[in-house]
């Protein structure tokens, strides 16, 4: 039985994304080529590695076993790149980083651009995920580093503080129903019309779950990609929204923001790893930049 590194990386991406199409795109392969590689792997093994479902694919028992080893091989390759980087100027290394919505917005604006310019030999795979998925991914080795809310259960991981994430309510300055208010809880604004992020977006799913926990449902007038688009639509009176305070600050001239008083609206975000001392040299550099 022989699987080459391209096979293993492809299978890893497909299994983590739950889609052969998405995995093929990330691996830089045509869909037909990716499908043929996976079929060949299954034929050499003599057992199916993926279970095909209507909404994508999930690993079989054999697939989970292969996933474990594929991650170990990927980690070894990254470690090798890190160890040899000092001797081979052209050798590139890649760090896998997962973060929730608020942390991603903070990093993309300031930290990551400066880091990438300062370290041209290091690439970053940045994946925006819900905090509980980040914790699982770091623990399993699917990500080198993660930034997640502490409520997600990070006690089994090493942690360093990243920032306090506060969610706020934003509205157009002329939005009459919230006039005069400086704070509100989710129950008090549940009847409003909302501008939301796309289906499946980690932050929007978090807010939707909190509304459901209170026995309510948010009326979404429109869903758009990205916090900047949400803020622009809210500023023009399309509805209200719940966003990280850092996003609201960027539009302070055109928006009103109200403190969201629910306990879940203020979260401590921590940088986490299975072990900071065990990271590749490149991942250690990124961790240092993030804290």
């Amino acid at each position: 039985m022989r699987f080459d590194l391209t096979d293993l990386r492809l299978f890893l991406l497909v299994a983590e994304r739950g889609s052969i199409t998405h995995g093929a795109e990330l691996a830089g392969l045509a869909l037909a080529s990716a499908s043929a590689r996976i079929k060949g792997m299954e034929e050499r093994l003599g057992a199916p590695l993926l279970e095909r479902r209507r909404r994508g694919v999930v690993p079989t028992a054999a697939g989970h076993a292969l996933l474990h080893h594929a991650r170990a091989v990927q980690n070894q390759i990254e470690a090798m790149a890190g160890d040899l980087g000092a001797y081979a100027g052209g050798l590139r290394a890649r760090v896998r980083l997962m973060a929730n919505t608020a942390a991603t917005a903070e990093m993309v604006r300031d930290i990551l651009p400066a880091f990438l310019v300062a370290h041209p030999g290091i690439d970053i795979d940045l994946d925006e995920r819900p905090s509980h998925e980040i914790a699982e991914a770091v623990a399993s080795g699917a990500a080198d580093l993660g930034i997640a809310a502490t409520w997600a259960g990070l006690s089994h991981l090493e942690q360093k503080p990243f920032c306090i994430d506060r969610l706020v309510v934003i509205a157009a300055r002329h939005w009459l129903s919230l006039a005069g208010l400086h704070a509100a809880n989710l129950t008090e604004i549940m009847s409003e019309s909302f501008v939301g992020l796309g289906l499946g977006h980690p932050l929007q799913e978090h807010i939707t779950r909190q509304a459901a926990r209170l026995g309510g449902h948010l009326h979404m007038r429109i869903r758009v990609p990205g916090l900047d688009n949400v803020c622009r639509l809210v500023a023009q009176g399309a509805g209200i929204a719940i966003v990280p305070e850092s996003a609201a600050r960027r539009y302070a001239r055109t928006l009103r923001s109200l403190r969201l008083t629910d306990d879940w609206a203020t979260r401590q975000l921590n940088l986490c790893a299975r072990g900071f001392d065990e990271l590749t040299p490149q991942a250690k550099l990124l961790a240092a930049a993030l804290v």
Side-chain angles (χ1 to χ4, degrees), residues 81 84-93 120-123:
L84 297 179
Y87 306 100
L91 189 62
R92 305 191 66 83
I122 302 177
D123 299 327

Side-chain angles (χ1 to χ4, degrees), residues 210-222:
Q210 297 302 327
R213 186 177 60 84
L214 294 170
H217 173 74
L218 302 183
H219 170 222
M220 291 291 171
R221 296 205 64 205
I222 187 172

Side-chain angles (χ1 to χ4, degrees), residues 138-139 143-145 156-160 272-280 283-284 287:
V138 173
D144 301 303
L145 295 167
H156 57 302
L157 302 171
E158 288 192 17
Q159 304 172 58
K160 297 180 180 181
C272 57
R274 285 191 294 180
F276 288 104
D277 289 341
E278 301 169 7
L279 294 171
T280 64
K284 287 179 181 178

Side-chain angles (χ1 to χ4, degrees), residues 170-175 194-195 229-243 254-256:
I170 56 172
R173 292 193 173 277
H174 60 272
W175 195 265
F194 282 79
V195 175
N229 289 327
V230 170
C231 291
R232 291 190 189 101
L233 281 169
V234 170
Q236 295 177 53
I240 70 169
I242 297 174
V243 300
T254 57
L255 291 171
R256 290 182 57 230

Side-chain angles (χ1 to χ4, degrees), residues 1 3 38-49 60 62:
M1 183 192 314
F3 298 151
I38 291 174
K39 183 179 179 181
M41 293 171 70
E42 292 177 324
E43 289 176 348
R44 289 192 292 275
L45 178 64
L49 294 169
T60 62

Side-chain angles (χ1 to χ4, degrees), residues 119-138:
H119 303 283
I122 302 177
D123 299 327
I124 298 173
D125 280 338
L126 175 59
D127 198 358
E128 188 174 323
R129 296 286 187 93
S131 288
H132 68 279
E133 290 187 14
I134 295 169
E136 293 171 1
V138 173

Side-chain angles (χ1 to χ4, degrees), residues 23-287:
E25 290 175 356
L26 291 170
L29 297 172
L31 178 58
S33 175
S35 297
R37 279 183 173 273
I38 291 174
K39 183 179 179 181
M41 293 171 70
E42 292 177 324
E43 289 176 348
R44 289 192 292 275
L45 178 64
L49 294 169
L50 296 171
E51 179 183 344
R52 278 72 172 174
R53 296 183 178 178
R54 288 181 60 188
R55 294 183 178 273
V57 295
V58 295
T60 62
H64 278 293
L66 178 60
L67 186 60
H68 170 76
H69 291 290
R71 282 175 176 159
V73 170
Q74 182 70 24
N75 290 339
Q76 285 294 105
I77 292 172
E78 297 294 347
M80 179 187 69
D83 291 342
L84 297 179
Y87 306 100
L91 189 62
R92 305 191 66 83
R94 183 171 297 273
V95 181
R96 296 161 297 168
L97 171 64
M98 289 187 180
N100 74 352
T101 302
T104 298
E106 287 287 332
M107 291 187 296
V108 169
R109 189 172 70 253
D110 298 316
I111 302 171
L112 294 185
F115 181 85
L116 290 168
V117 170
H119 303 283
I122 302 177
D123 299 327
I124 298 173
D125 280 338
L126 175 59
D127 198 358
E128 188 174 323
R129 296 286 187 93
S131 288
H132 68 279
E133 290 187 14
I134 295 169
E136 293 171 1
V138 173
S140 69
D144 301 303
L145 295 167
I147 301 177
T150 53
W151 62 259
L154 308 179
S155 59
H156 57 302
L157 302 171
E158 288 192 17
Q159 304 172 58
K160 297 180 180 181
F162 179 71
C163 73
I164 299 292
D165 170 36
R166 294 182 178 87
L167 297 177
V168 298
V169 182
I170 56 172
R173 292 193 173 277
H174 60 272
W175 195 265
L176 295 178
S177 60
L178 300 182
L181 293 179
H182 299 287
N185 60 43
L186 185 57
T187 301
E188 292 172 320
I189 61 172
M190 198 94 72
S191 61
E192 300 285 343
S193 296
F194 282 79
V195 175
L197 293 158
L199 284 170
H201 190 282
L203 174 59
Q204 199 60 61
E205 292 300 307
H206 176 58
I207 296 167
T208 299
R209 284 195 299 271
Q210 297 302 327
R213 186 177 60 84
L214 294 170
H217 173 74
L218 302 183
H219 170 222
M220 291 291 171
R221 296 205 64 205
I222 187 172
R223 294 177 180 270
V224 293
L227 291 169
D228 286 339
N229 289 327
V230 170
C231 291
R232 291 190 189 101
L233 281 169
V234 170
Q236 295 177 53
I240 70 169
I242 297 174
V243 300
E245 187 177 37
S246 57
R249 283 198 214 103
R250 297 199 295 274
Y251 291 85
R253 293 182 178 180
T254 57
L255 291 171
R256 290 182 57 230
S257 64
L258 290 71
R259 184 168 59 89
L260 190 59
T261 59
D262 300 84
D263 290 342
W264 53 267
T266 300
R267 306 175 291 178
Q268 171 67 47
L269 302 186
N270 282 358
L271 176 69
C272 57
R274 285 191 294 180
F276 288 104
D277 289 341
E278 301 169 7
L279 294 171
T280 64
Q282 288 80 3
K284 287 179 181 178
L285 286 171
L286 180 57

